[in-house]
Amino acid sequence: MAMGGSFDWQAVRRELTVVFEGSTASRTLRCSPLPEVPITTGALAATIQSVVPGETVLLIGSDQTRKTGLDRLLPVLLDGFAAHGVPATDISLLIACGAHRQPDAEELARVVGPAAERLNGRIHLHNAFDSDCEAVGITSRGTPVRINRRALDADAVIPIGAVLFHYFAGMSGGAKSVVPGVAAATTIAANHSLTISRELAAPDPNVRIGRLEGNPVSDDLWEATGMVAVRSAIQTVLAGDGRLVGLFAGPLHDAHRQACDVARRAFGCPLDGRSDLVIAAAGVALNWIQSHKSLVNASLATKPDGVIILHAPCPEGVGSESFEYWLSVGDAAAIIRGIGETADINSQTALSTLTRGRQAILISDLPTGTIRRMGMTPAA
């Protein structure tokens, strides 16, 4: 380190080796690198050819909270449709915001990319609380399904989603583009309530990361999405560095399951067993809402009485006023009582944080009082 001047720590990657007396050997968990795949009209052919010229097409794309590669996909997809006799003027894009806030103009430009000009005037933002939604049925678990009318009026509905592990839906992408993506707040709240077992009055043990079948949240959202006439789908898998490592087009369920297989290889690390101490980092995540996923992953590798040391700077704070509200509710039991009454996913994040945080020491720029309210121990 040069003396007498500032030092750019961001330009340095540091590794620290610590030896604990009497400890057994440990290892660093890293995701398997996968090769990049190209975006071609051939790879999207099953979706392009599913549309008959003259039909109206509604693409459903993810909002600013999900990186799907939509900005790279759209130019190739629109070119493919044009060659197939489906002009861009017959195609609209609905941004699936679920219960998230809508993207601002700058965020929307990043999400859609250069194809925005070709879809001029036909890009719409879903609002779970205000959009015109129509009832299409009730699931076997009692979820009233109300969907944005645009997804019901189009001839061909085509969701475009990215697949990652999801801490209560099992995996992202797939049906999530429709429910909660373009569903009404009442539908989202009812589906979210399934994270809690009515019999146990506690989190349902079948609702967990990576599980689809037998997960009541996942089963319910797939049943709800089945009430919408989805023509075809495009599912992507993006590596942490943004490279596209998976691209699948075709029937929604098939394309999603193929993408899930790749996502498990891209993001899953096999464990020989859980550890007494797990050290984890949230990387470039800007706030706690994003960093929380690192806590979830670390908890899967930690013994029930073990300790997690998590480095999550959170330069933008917790990232949500509603998360602050759920922390103020008081405790996990109070949050559990309120989950069935809200479409706010941050209720789930608060519950997960309080449940898992009791094992965690958090190194962060967050105020120590906030860290303690999150159930974690602050450290410098």
Side-chain angles (χ1 to χ4, degrees), residues 183-360:
T186 51
T187 301
I188 298 170
N191 177 259
H192 283 181
S193 73
L194 297 174
T195 60
I196 305 302
S197 166
R198 293 181 176 88
E199 292 76 18
L200 301 174
D204 191 312
N206 294 309
V207 176
R208 61 179 186 265
I209 191 168
R211 180 166 186 172
L212 293 172
E213 281 75 21
N215 176 339
V217 172
S218 174
D219 290 342
D220 187 68
L221 63 86
W222 276 97
E223 183 181 350
T225 295
M227 299 177 187
V228 179
V230 173
R231 179 71 60 83
S232 185
I234 297 169
Q235 301 289 283
T236 64
V237 181
L238 271 67
D241 59 7
R243 291 179 307 112
L244 184 70
V245 297
L247 177 60
F248 302 93
L252 178 60
H253 187 274
D254 295 347
H256 183 249
R257 292 308 191 266
Q258 288 176 298
C260 285
D261 289 342
V262 173
R264 287 190 172 95
R265 288 190 285 122
F267 307 122
C269 298
L271 288 175
D272 297 328
R274 295 184 178 230
S275 298
D276 297 293
L277 172 65
V278 172
I279 302 172
V284 298
L286 296 176
N287 56 48
W288 177 252
I289 299 301
Q290 297 169 3
S291 301
H292 158 260
K293 298 168 186 176
S294 295
L295 176 64
V296 174
N297 292 334
S299 71
L300 297 175
T302 311
K303 291 180 180 179
D305 59 349
V307 174
I308 300 165
I309 298 175
L310 176 62
H311 179 239
C314 303
E316 294 183 357
V318 295
S320 167
E321 290 183 7
S322 69
F323 178 80
E324 293 270 18
Y325 162 76
W326 286 106
L327 285 183
S328 72
V329 165
D331 57 20
I335 295 174
I336 287 172
R337 290 193 295 271
I339 279 178
E341 303 168 4
T342 179
D344 183 10
I345 194 173
N346 290 322
S347 62
Q348 307 285 346
T349 306
L351 177 62
S352 175
T353 298
L354 289 174
T355 302
R356 296 178 169 92
R358 59 181 181 229
Q359 290 184 271

Side-chain angles (χ1 to χ4, degrees), residues 132 151 184:
D132 183 11

Side-chain angles (χ1 to χ4, degrees), residues 3-229:
M3 301 299 291
S6 61
F7 188 78
D8 183 7
W9 286 106
Q10 300 300 321
V12 178
R13 177 170 181 160
R14 296 177 294 160
E15 291 195 8
L16 179 65
T17 301
V18 181
V19 178
F20 295 93
E21 285 238 8
S23 68
T24 56
S26 62
R27 64 190 178 96
T28 300
L29 297 179
R30 299 192 190 280
C31 297
S32 302
L34 296 179
E36 189 168 8
V37 298
I39 302 174
T40 65
T41 53
L44 305 175
T47 291
I48 293 168
Q49 294 170 8
S50 72
V51 177
V52 176
E55 290 185 312
T56 57
V57 179
L58 179 73
L59 306 175
I60 299 178
S62 298
D63 64 14
Q64 72 281 3
T65 67
R66 302 282 186 271
K67 293 182 179 180
T68 62
L70 184 66
D71 57 330
R72 288 174 272 170
L73 277 168
L74 279 176
V76 180
L77 184 61
L78 294 180
D79 286 346
F81 273 130
H84 184 58
V86 181
T89 50
D90 287 344
I91 301 171
S92 299
L93 173 65
L94 178 60
I95 299 298
C97 300
H100 301 154
R101 68 165 178 83
Q102 294 180 331
D104 60 30
E106 184 178 333
E107 291 169 330
L108 184 62
R110 284 199 300 268
V111 168
V112 179
E117 291 185 7
R118 298 167 68 177
L119 294 171
N120 185 34
R122 297 184 306 283
I123 299 175
H124 311 284
L125 305 179
H126 175 68
N127 185 316
F129 304 93
D130 293 330
S131 289
D132 183 11
C133 294
E134 181 177 330
V136 295
I138 301 175
T139 70
S140 58
R141 291 173 176 80
T143 296
V145 184
R146 298 180 66 241
I147 302 295
N148 189 301
R149 187 178 293 276
R150 293 183 187 278
L152 304 177
D153 291 344
D155 296 320
V157 175
I158 299 173
I160 302 171
V163 177
L164 295 161
F165 285 103
H166 192 280
Y167 72 101
F168 66 82
M171 306 292 284
S172 65
K176 286 186 88 271
S177 292
V178 180
V179 180
V182 297
T186 51
T187 301
I188 298 170
N191 177 259
H192 283 181
S193 73
L194 297 174
T195 60
I196 305 302
S197 166
R198 293 181 176 88
E199 292 76 18
L200 301 174
D204 191 312
N206 294 309
V207 176
R208 61 179 186 265
I209 191 168
R211 180 166 186 172
L212 293 172
E213 281 75 21
N215 176 339
V217 172
S218 174
D219 290 342
D220 187 68
L221 63 86
W222 276 97
E223 183 181 350
T225 295
M227 299 177 187
V228 179

